[in-house]
Amino acid sequence: MKRDYICPFCYGNLQVCEYIVFSARNTNKKFGLVLLHPEIGNYSIKSHPDFSFHSGEHIDFYCPMCHKSLVSDIDENLIQLVLIEDEKEYKIYFSRIAGEKSTYKVHGDDVTSTGEHADRYTFFKLADKYKKYL
Ligand SMILES: [Zn+2]
């Protein structure tokens, strides 16, 4: 299956070999590179030992090419990417809180949620007709 993770701003391809690459900043304002596994539901994360973060910490994610913040406009705790899979475009949202496992794959009204904490973001459970009341 052909699968590309794309920056929603510059449309640069974020994947190198087996990982999605981000520039990131921890709450100590220290920058580092993090690698995430491209398989949805796999929360393994790789970074240099000097760039550490503890569970519950909010990590800022940036595109390593255009340097824009990837925080989503629907929830400040979620990161937003574009996924092109078999020529179909999806929006991907995942939590930027270290240790929180919540990922959403969205295509129109079709939402696939993954992760043991996926119920924390109720935005994706509501039908469109209710979202306008938020
Ligand atoms: Zn970019």
Side-chain angles (χ1 to χ4, degrees):
M1 184 189 303
K2 185 168 164 41
R3 187 166 56 180
D4 283 318
Y5 287 91
I6 307 286
C7 168
F9 300 104
C10 70
Y11 300 101
N13 202 320
L14 294 163
Q15 194 166 339
V16 177
C17 301
E18 293 166 47
Y19 289 96
I20 314 172
V21 183
F22 299 96
S23 166
R25 190 175 64 169
N26 64 17
T27 46
N28 294 327
K29 307 292 182 200
K30 184 168 181 171
F31 279 94
L33 293 172
V34 296
L35 304 179
L36 298 188
H37 201 280
E39 182 192 332
I40 291 175
N42 183 330
Y43 292 96
S44 61
I45 179 165
K46 291 183 186 295
S47 63
H48 191 276
D50 287 348
F51 182 68
S52 60
F53 35 85
H54 54 81
S55 184
E57 189 168 345
H58 287 61
I59 311 295
D60 291 323
F61 283 74
Y62 301 90
C63 172
M65 292 164 280
C66 71
H67 310 292
K68 286 233 166 78
S69 167
L70 297 172
V71 172
S72 95
D73 48 6
I74 60 167
D75 191 307
E76 62 172 13
N77 290 336
L78 295 174
I79 297 300
Q80 179 179 335
L81 299 179
V82 172
L83 167 65
I84 311 285
E85 192 174 73
D86 290 337
E87 297 176 12
K88 203 168 168 186
E89 186 172 322
Y90 300 87
K91 285 193 170 94
I92 298 291
Y93 300 91
F94 64 91
S95 172
R96 68 189 186 96
I97 301 173
E100 188 173 82
K101 296 173 177 172
S102 314
T103 309
Y104 309 90
K105 180 178 172 183
V106 180
H107 182 79
D109 290 338
D110 193 13
V111 178
T112 307
S113 55
T114 308
E116 59 188 277
H117 305 125
D119 59 348
R120 290 185 183 173
Y121 296 92
T122 51
F123 180 89
F124 295 104
K125 285 191 199 162
L126 298 173
D128 277 341
K129 61 183 175 182
Y130 299 118
K131 284 181 186 169
K132 64 185 175 194
Y133 299 114
L134 291 176

